[in-house]
Amino acid sequence: MPERGGAIVLIGFMGSGKSAAGRRLEMRTGWPRYDTDAMISERFGSSINEIFAQHGESEFRRREAEVLLELPRERAIVVTGGGIVLRPGNVECIRELGTVVNLTADEQTLFDRVSRRTSRPLLQGPDPAGRLRELVRERGSLYRSVADFTLDTSHLTRDEVVKAILARVELPRHDVH
Ligand code: S3P
């Protein structure tokens, strides 16, 4: 089994707080932050919604696997898109990067959070709450099985989320600010 790297990798459903936690972890550790959605978006020069609409989900997933492979094996914060665990090849790569943290929240909290932003292509249909529920049920155990630990963020502030993550990940002392 390949050795695991020193990154903190955030996985979990849309609205679980990966992006916000990733930004705060970047500040606290001073490590570089990589966001797979942002990397894909940058490459296409368009939003995730536009990529799904113009090129389809399978092309997005292909690019997602590609950017994952390009991430350096170093201390870093890696924020992933909610569907990244769907490809078995990605799972192996994610675990090689470092400690994998699954952020989760109850369905209502996830729905409230994703409803604040309209940029989730998978929730654009006529019944976004129903679709979200389906996806959460389909993917919940997958996230848990990929992660080293799971953190329910439903009732936590953003700072509490970061504190809880840092408490579980072994970091060199001087790296935490
Ligand atoms: C997706 C989640 C999104 C983005 C894309 C697909 C998913 O990322 O990658 O819309 O399949 O769950 P976030 O988890 O950051 O919203």
Side-chain angles (χ1 to χ4, degrees):
M1 191 178 281
E3 212 177 297
R4 298 183 63 196
I8 299 176
V9 188
L10 303 179
I11 64 166
F13 205 75
M14 301 173 249
S16 58
K18 297 172 301 221
S19 302
R23 281 191 292 271
R24 278 178 159 70
L25 283 168
E26 177 188 17
M27 281 190 304
R28 292 290 306 278
T29 59
W31 297 357
R33 176 174 54 90
Y34 299 94
D35 179 322
T36 59
D37 274 359
M39 289 166 79
I40 299 166
S41 221
E42 209 167 283
R43 273 170 206 199
F44 277 94
S46 43
S47 70
I48 301 294
N49 251 338
E50 285 162 354
I51 298 167
F52 268 69
Q54 287 166 13
H55 306 277
E57 181 175 351
S58 60
E59 176 62 9
F60 172 82
R61 297 291 176 211
R62 204 178 64 71
R63 292 303 185 109
E64 193 172 46
E66 208 173 80
V67 297
L68 191 57
L69 282 172
E70 289 170 18
L71 293 176
R73 301 283 182 272
E74 62 183 33
R75 285 198 180 123
I77 308 299
V78 178
V79 177
T80 62
I84 206 156
V85 292
L86 298 173
R87 276 196 180 202
N90 288 354
V91 168
E92 206 174 309
C93 187
I94 286 168
R95 291 197 50 86
E96 278 173 28
L97 288 174
T99 306
V100 184
V101 184
N102 171 32
L103 296 184
T104 180
D106 59 62
E107 283 170 20
Q108 187 58 50
T109 304
L110 291 174
F111 189 67
D112 291 344
R113 291 182 187 160
V114 296
S115 302
R116 284 184 220 134
R117 276 177 51 200
T118 52
S119 59
R120 264 64 176 225
L122 294 181
L123 302 175
Q124 300 295 310
D127 177 18
R131 181 75 186 120
L132 181 135
R133 194 174 318 117
E134 261 170 30
L135 287 170
V136 169
R137 286 172 193 178
E138 272 167 35
R139 293 179 181 177
S141 60
L142 183 55
Y143 291 133
R144 279 189 298 276
S145 70
V146 175
D148 291 286
F149 63 92
T150 292
L151 185 66
D152 186 344
T153 68
S154 310
H155 306 290
L156 298 181
T157 65
R158 289 171 172 175
D159 284 335
E160 286 168 341
V161 170
V162 167
K163 210 170 157 198
I165 295 172
L166 291 175
R168 300 278 303 263
V169 179
E170 264 179 51
L171 300 183
R173 254 180 183 288
H174 62 267
D175 273 12
V176 185
H177 311 293

